[in-house]
Amino acid sequence: MPSSRAAVKGVRDVATGLVILALLLTGQRRALGWAMTAIGFVPAGDMVIVLAGGGPAAQAYGVHGATALAVALTAGLLLRERPVPVVRAAAEPART
């Protein structure tokens, strides 16, 4: 049986994934960008916790730090995206 610490992290990760999935499925890309910005604090916080607890720096930076960076880059790209205007083609002239 997993430890309670691992179970808590697992539930947190599943809930985070469900938020991302819901925003993706509903096409809420800008909201997804803001959610990713907030979610980025999770791996950054994990990195700080590992370092403060005397854990291996390679794990802190290589796993949690890299994940925080990837999430921040993804959030930045989503928030920078601009909607493409819909251009409707002119109707063809009637043939006689």
Side-chain angles (χ1 to χ4, degrees):
M1 182 160 178
S3 70
S4 60
R5 179 184 227 166
V8 168
K9 288 178 73 171
V11 170
R12 176 191 73 189
D13 292 345
V14 169
T16 300
L18 290 173
V19 168
I20 292 168
L21 183 63
L23 291 170
L24 279 172
L25 291 175
T26 58
Q28 301 295 321
R29 296 173 67 92
R30 187 143 182 91
L32 177 59
W34 284 112
M36 294 293 283
T37 300
I39 289 167
F41 285 96
V42 173
D46 290 345
M47 180 182 71
V48 170
I49 290 168
V50 169
L51 290 171
Q59 178 186 13
Y61 295 118
V63 175
H64 303 296
T67 302
L69 181 61
V71 171
L73 288 172
T74 302
L77 290 171
L78 285 164
L79 291 172
R80 186 174 168 221
E81 180 183 48
R82 298 291 175 244
V84 177
V86 177
V87 178
R88 297 182 185 220
E92 288 186 33
R95 297 181 190 210
T96 54

